[in-house]
Amino acid sequence: MAGCIETMFYNGISTPSIGFGTWQAKDDELEQALNNALEAGYRHIDTATVYENEKVIGKVLKKWIDSGKLKRDDLFIVTKLPPCGNRPSGVATYLQRSLDDLQLDYVDMYLIHTPFAFIECGDMHPMKDGKIMLDMNTDHVATWKVMEEQVDAGKAKAIGLSNFNITQISKVLEHARIKPANLQIELHAYHQQVPLVDYAKKHGIVVTAYSPLGAPGLSKFMEDMNQKAPKMPNILDNPVVDEIAKKHNKSPAQVVLRHGVQKGLIVIPKSTNPGRLRQNLDIFDFELDENDMSKLNGLNKDARFLDFKVFPGITEHPEYPWKKE
């Protein structure tokens, strides 16, 4: 990816520091958007079993690789173990399912999507009597050992965590033979998660920011779950962001993404608009100065947009990560 900063993981593999997020993107819309993203220069693609879009991604990737326009080594593909598979017996099964759907022999990064688990019954989000069906017997250490086996088997180049808190990460690190390379968390100007990011960096774990522009897709997700979305502040309308954007002749989105990259984060914005796809990638020809960074750091409100409470009863799980918030 021309001009893009590469982020190196502790095991020596690297990825472009900006990726293409695919949450809430499916079918023909995603097929077109992914083709546009690859044409624009994206090589880091983020997906997950629960997004139910891996088959579409696999179709597009196979077309590009078979045509000779891309080699598999050009790509960095991330997917995730779903909550309904979050147990030792689920890891190999769900990873192989992802590989089959993606039409790949390996993924570059395999993450445990959440620290909590759902009952496995054929539904990604199983509900009963109006509540999410929880598997209360989640064992992160036992599950991590099977994650490590996927690296041994060559099915994942690296492994990591998503939505875990410091206590949960610490427990995995204490018992890990292959330590987590990546932590993917909600992170944006209004929710900068400084203690968690500092902890991850101290332990050599690269942090990926999902929803780096806020959470515009959350409303649709909540509607799909038959819930009313709360009104959330729009980061891109913030006057501080707008002021800095005008100063650099950039868009508010470009400023927010550049802020994350300059802090050493990987950012994975999602867009299906061809113009915004290219614009989001065009953040490597300017630099935020110390004053800009200070102003943007000062926007932090510890405002989490995605707390998974869209699933009634989720906070009853012993590994729900934000009980203290």
Side-chain angles (χ1 to χ4, degrees), residues 15 23 25 34 36 56 73 82 89 103 111 119 124 144 151 172 199 208 224 226 244 265 284 289 296 310 323:
T15 181
W23 183 49
L34 182 53
N36 289 336
V56 176
D73 290 349
S89 62
Q103 301 187 60
L111 306 176
I119 295 291
M124 285 293 153
W144 190 254
V151 179
V172 171
Y199 177 85
T208 297
D224 290 345
N226 298 314
I244 295 171
L265 307 170
F284 300 102
D289 61 33
L296 291 167
V310 66
K323 289 182 184 291

Side-chain angles (χ1 to χ4, degrees), residues 32-33 36-37 40 42 271-281:
Q32 185 61 52
N36 289 336
Y42 288 86
S271 179
T272 56
N273 178 286
R276 284 197 293 271
L277 276 170
R278 291 183 178 277
Q279 191 179 73
N280 288 346
L281 201 57

Side-chain angles (χ1 to χ4, degrees), residues 18 40 49 55 68 76 81 93 127 155 157 163 170 216 239 267 274 290 297 299 308:
I18 184 164
T49 298
K55 285 186 177 180
F76 190 90
L81 177 70
T93 300
M127 304 286 290
K155 293 186 175 184
K157 294 283 189 183
N163 298 301
S170 176
V267 293
E290 189 174 332
N297 289 344
L299 296 179
F308 293 96

Side-chain angles (χ1 to χ4, degrees), residues 149-272:
E149 291 171 7
Q150 308 316 300
V151 179
D152 297 337
K155 293 186 175 184
K157 294 283 189 183
I159 48 179
L161 305 168
S162 181
N163 298 301
F164 277 54
N165 64 29
I166 289 175
T167 300
Q168 293 163 336
I169 299 166
S170 176
K171 187 172 183 180
V172 171
L173 282 171
E174 184 181 347
H175 295 89
R177 172 173 59 88
I178 301 173
K179 75 176 187 178
N182 187 213
L183 173 66
Q184 188 175 126
I185 53 175
E186 177 187 341
L187 200 154
H188 44 75
Y190 288 168
H191 191 50
Q192 297 186 32
Q193 302 230 56
V194 175
L196 182 53
V197 171
D198 287 348
Y199 177 85
K201 288 183 176 179
K202 177 182 175 183
H203 291 277
I205 302 171
V206 172
V207 174
T208 297
Y210 72 73
S211 298
L213 304 177
L218 184 58
S219 295
K220 181 180 183 302
F221 177 58
M222 294 190 74
E223 287 168 9
D224 290 345
M225 296 298 295
N226 298 314
Q227 293 198 30
K228 184 177 180 181
K231 184 171 176 57
M232 292 175 291
N234 187 337
I235 294 167
L236 304 184
D237 289 340
N238 184 282
V240 171
V241 175
D242 187 58
E243 173 196 352
I244 295 171
K246 288 175 179 173
K247 170 182 169 182
H248 292 280
N249 196 28
K250 289 289 183 179
S251 72
Q254 288 171 316
V255 165
V256 170
L257 294 173
R258 180 71 201 188
H259 178 233
V261 168
Q262 277 189 220
K263 292 177 76 170
L265 307 170
I266 296 170
V267 293
I268 49 170
K270 177 253 178 178
S271 179
T272 56

